[in-house]
Amino acid sequence: MSTTGWIVLIVVVAIVVIAAVWLYLRSRQSKQLKEHFGPEYDRTVQQADKRRDAEAELESRRKRVAQLDIRPLSATDRTRYANAWQQLQPTFVDDPSSAVNQADALVGQLMEARGYPVGDFDQRAADISVDHPEIVSNYREAHRLATRNETGDATTEEQRRAIIHYRKLFDELMGDAVADPTSTGRVS
């Protein structure tokens, strides 16, 4: 074989190896994102034009949340939020609409206390999906039902479901929100 033939063969082999490595790394990244985000991965892929776009979005979320100062609650704050929920829950019987509004506000306050930005709902849900991918769908559904509640279109059953969804997120945020007095590190 001529020198030119060897060079062409080496270049072709190098291209094949590089392509195989690239495909392997993409596949590995996809697998890691799917394992981390679970159902949120599937939801994001379904809404995106391309899987690559969805994965870039999820990776962007991860990087954004890594820059936030997500922190545990102090024991005092933890008790205060638990008491606030205990006071809120019985109000559902007499005024379900108000209870849904209070639950929405309380979850927002808890998120803010933990260090999540609380501006735009879609951004809040995206941020929550990084550390709580299994529960973010509850948050989205609670918000959807709370929006119906605000316009007076929610049934009592929808209000009940909103409270249940908010409670699941509340419990999740409280469950990993215990401050270790000897640590200043991030809780995830």
Side-chain angles (χ1 to χ4, degrees):
M1 189 182 277
S2 69
T3 305
T4 305
W6 280 108
I7 292 173
V8 169
L9 180 63
I10 290 171
V11 168
V12 168
V13 168
I15 290 171
V16 169
V17 168
I18 289 170
V21 168
W22 182 81
L23 288 173
Y24 169 75
L25 292 175
R26 292 276 305 145
S27 172
R28 192 169 127 214
Q29 179 190 23
S30 293
K31 183 180 176 186
Q32 288 172 342
L33 287 169
K34 186 166 181 64
E35 286 174 1
H36 176 82
F37 283 97
E40 182 66 8
Y41 176 90
D42 295 332
R43 180 191 158 286
T44 306
V45 167
Q46 186 177 39
Q47 289 186 334
D49 293 333
K50 298 177 188 171
R51 178 188 302 213
R52 185 176 14 188
D53 294 343
E55 289 179 353
E57 162 63 22
L58 293 170
E59 194 57 47
S60 173
R61 290 182 195 180
R62 235 196 312 211
K63 288 177 182 174
R64 173 182 156 73
V65 170
Q67 300 299 314
L68 300 176
D69 181 24
I70 308 299
R71 58 195 170 274
L73 294 174
S74 67
T76 303
D77 283 343
R78 185 171 168 72
T79 300
R80 181 170 55 88
Y81 283 106
N83 288 340
W85 188 273
Q86 296 247 327
Q87 291 173 1
L88 172 153
Q89 204 159 332
T91 65
F92 182 83
V93 174
D94 293 326
D95 191 356
S97 180
S98 177
V100 169
N101 293 338
Q102 289 175 44
D104 180 56
L106 184 59
V107 165
Q109 292 166 10
L110 176 57
M111 289 173 65
E112 187 172 25
R114 292 288 315 278
Y116 290 99
V118 292
D120 174 63
F121 171 77
D122 290 330
Q123 186 63 59
R124 282 189 315 235
D127 291 345
I128 284 292
S129 76
V130 174
D131 293 331
H132 305 281
E134 299 296 326
I135 204 80
V136 70
S137 61
N138 285 292
Y139 185 40
R140 285 191 181 98
E141 181 62 6
H143 179 73
R144 184 187 74 76
L145 294 170
T147 300
R148 284 184 51 78
N149 184 59
E150 287 176 4
T151 61
D153 295 329
T155 65
T156 304
E157 175 59 21
E158 288 173 323
Q159 292 166 332
R160 183 188 71 78
R161 286 194 342 251
I163 292 290
I164 290 169
H165 289 306
Y166 277 126
R167 179 62 194 240
K168 287 178 182 176
L169 179 60
F170 181 86
D171 287 347
E172 182 85 6
L173 290 170
M174 290 289 284
D176 68 352
V178 180
D180 176 356
T182 63
S183 171
T184 59
R186 176 185 162 149
V187 172
S188 55

